[in-house]
Amino acid sequence: MEHRVMLVERNRLMLEKLSNVLRHTDGMELVVRYQDFADALGQGMVFHADLILLDVEGVNALETLGAFKKAYPGVSIVCLGEHGQAEAAARLVQGGAFGYLIKPFTSDELVSALETFNKGAMEGSTQTIAFFSPKGKSGKTTLIANLAVALARKTKAEVGIIDADLQFSDMAVLFNVEPQQTIVEAVRDADFLSPIALKNYFIPVQENVHLLAGTKNPSLSDKVEIRPFEEVVRMAQSLFRYILIDIPPSFCPISISAAELSTVTYIISMENQGYEIMHTLRALDIFQDWEDYKQRVRILFTRVAPYNEEAREELERLLQYPIDAITPNEYIAVSKAADEGRSVLDSSPNVPYSQCILKIAEHIVSPETRSAAIG
């Protein structure tokens, strides 16, 4: 895509450096450049730029962005800074920026960034969804993997999976990939990364689906510290339209932090004639500390048999809490897909499990639709 670019950069040396990059980037026409904000706001309209690269280093970034958005409605604005600041970048994106880019950058980095911004979270506000299970072996990882594929196919948006189940990370196994870099390296490097650089730590596993793999060894779990982990999540929120976080089956600092950063947290339990009801109730008790927990906490039961509306209603009666969805027991289809390193949606698209996942995805995309995924 061809872009008519306005460059606003207050540092003279950086202005020359970035101007040279733009002149040598295919698809970019530098139509005007400014050092002074006031000049850019007062004079730039006549050049009809469709992309503004805006220096926000050392100023009130949100106020500056707001002034340019008011002066140039409908023009994409990429904010430029000298440091990777995940929280600041997330605020700018929420404030209407097309994206955030660390300067200086190369032609390839600029083109890659614009492609990412165009396909990613800028299409709407990011939904970050955490998946918590009071006990292991609930089908949580399988659910996340297939739901990510369903969301990507339904919306054509970028979906990121973060495998933060640090001691039992098996999302990479499910997708049959061998990551060179994992959450350990991403968290280690968080202070030096921009959102665009972070994307290199994610492995493409399906079209528009990217995985930040978990630890290669449970002993590495203590390498994932909370503050940089939160920075990684915030940076990912400027890359992806949907982020699905697989968190540990205990209320440890990582699970609490991931849930706090999420739009919605799913409690995933396997229907097991009693024990899982008790565990789910205990989990709900903890989440009730949130004032808005009824809006942010959803319940999903897996491997429900018989798989019907009566079963869902009975679980709802026992919990005295809405059941967002139930999934059927499709052990053969799920095992077959796992052996092939494929999603169930690919391996067995017509089985009730696949249809159920598609309904859950539809509910996430359009919350007004009834979710209780009964086939």
Side-chain angles (χ1 to χ4, degrees):
M1 180 178 180
E2 297 286 330
H3 286 290
R4 293 174 57 82
V5 183
M6 175 193 295
L7 173 62
V8 185
E9 172 54 59
R10 290 168 300 144
N11 181 285
R12 167 58 66 179
L13 291 176
M14 185 63 72
L15 181 69
E16 296 297 336
K17 183 177 293 187
L18 297 183
S19 296
N20 190 53
V21 170
L22 286 165
R23 292 187 186 109
H24 291 86
T25 302
D26 291 341
M28 301 289 162
E29 180 186 0
L30 179 59
V31 294
V32 65
R33 63 182 197 169
Y34 294 102
Q35 270 190 273
D36 186 84
F37 288 151
D39 289 345
L41 289 167
Q43 304 170 11
M45 291 77 167
V46 298
F47 295 95
H48 302 292
D50 62 15
L51 176 65
I52 298 174
L53 302 182
L54 177 62
D55 170 30
V56 294
E57 189 71 32
V59 298
N60 185 320
L62 282 173
E63 183 179 298
T64 302
L65 172 64
F68 275 83
K69 282 185 64 64
K70 183 177 180 180
Y72 297 95
V75 176
S76 299
I77 301 175
V78 174
C79 295
L80 308 178
E82 295 177 0
H83 307 285
Q85 299 176 329
E87 191 168 357
R91 284 200 302 268
L92 286 166
V93 170
Q94 291 165 3
F98 188 56
Y100 179 88
L101 188 58
I102 292 179
K103 57 184 181 179
F105 45 78
T106 66
S107 292
D108 288 344
E109 288 169 341
L110 175 59
V111 171
S112 174
L114 293 178
E115 288 177 353
T116 297
F117 298 152
N118 193 51
K119 294 174 66 177
M122 315 321 159
E123 298 172 359
S125 59
T126 297
Q127 287 195 53
T128 306
I129 307 171
F131 294 82
F132 172 79
S133 175
K135 300 283 283 185
K137 304 299 182 183
S138 65
K140 171 168 61 83
T141 300
T142 299
L143 174 77
I144 294 169
N146 283 278
L147 186 55
V149 173
L151 285 168
R153 290 183 183 174
K154 180 172 181 60
T155 65
K156 308 302 180 187
E158 297 278 281
V159 179
I161 303 172
I162 298 177
D163 190 351
D165 192 352
L166 302 179
Q167 292 192 325
F168 300 99
S169 306
D170 51 9
M171 195 70 72
V173 175
L174 198 64
F175 280 110
N176 195 27
V177 294
E178 295 185 10
Q180 297 302 308
Q181 300 188 100
T182 70
I183 193 172
V184 174
E185 288 74 29
V187 168
R188 179 197 64 197
D189 301 341
D191 288 339
F192 310 101
L193 294 175
S194 67
I196 296 302
L198 173 66
K199 196 168 185 182
N200 294 324
Y201 291 70
F202 283 78
I203 311 166
V205 291
Q206 286 248 352
E207 185 176 2
N208 292 339
V209 180
H210 306 263
L211 168 65
L212 180 58
T215 57
K216 294 181 179 180
N217 188 301
S219 65
L220 297 173
S221 60
D222 61 354
K223 301 292 185 183
V224 180
E225 298 179 0
I226 298 302
R227 185 197 60 78
F229 168 74
E230 292 176 344
E231 290 290 289
V232 166
V233 174
R234 290 192 182 100
M235 281 190 279
Q237 287 171 335
S238 68
L239 290 172
F240 303 105
R241 178 68 178 84
Y242 299 95
I243 300 171
L244 280 54
I245 310 178
D246 192 354
I247 58 178
S250 62
F251 280 99
C252 63
I254 285 289
S255 11
I256 294 169
S257 177
E260 290 284 358
L261 289 168
S262 296
T263 318
V264 168
T265 296
Y266 273 98
I267 300 177
I268 311 295
S269 293
M270 182 177 67
E271 200 277 320
N272 193 24
Q273 303 301 319
Y275 289 110
E276 293 303 323
I277 294 291
M278 179 180 64
H279 295 147
T280 303
L281 285 169
R282 288 176 177 173
L284 274 173
D285 284 342
I286 295 173
F287 283 116
Q288 284 178 16
D289 288 342
W290 293 346
E291 291 183 3
D292 57 349
Y293 82 97
K294 289 185 178 179
Q295 289 73 48
R296 292 178 58 193
V297 179
R298 300 177 183 174
I299 308 294
L300 190 154
F301 273 84
T302 63
R303 303 179 188 177
V304 176
Y307 174 64
N308 54 34
E309 179 65 19
E310 289 74 21
R312 188 193 67 81
E313 290 176 352
E314 176 61 13
L315 289 168
E316 205 166 72
R317 184 190 67 78
L318 291 170
L319 281 178
Q320 293 297 296
Y321 194 90
I323 303 296
D324 203 67
I326 63 175
T327 70
N329 188 354
E330 293 274 11
Y331 178 79
I332 294 175
V334 169
S335 298
K336 176 176 178 287
D339 290 343
E340 296 173 352
R342 304 168 68 195
S343 70
V344 183
L345 296 178
D346 288 323
S347 178
S348 305
N350 297 318
V351 300
Y353 184 88
S354 295
Q355 299 306 308
C356 169
I357 294 297
L358 291 171
K359 288 186 179 181
I360 297 172
E362 182 179 355
H363 177 60
I364 290 172
V365 174
S366 304
E368 67 276 5
T369 61
R370 184 171 182 273
S371 140
I374 303 297

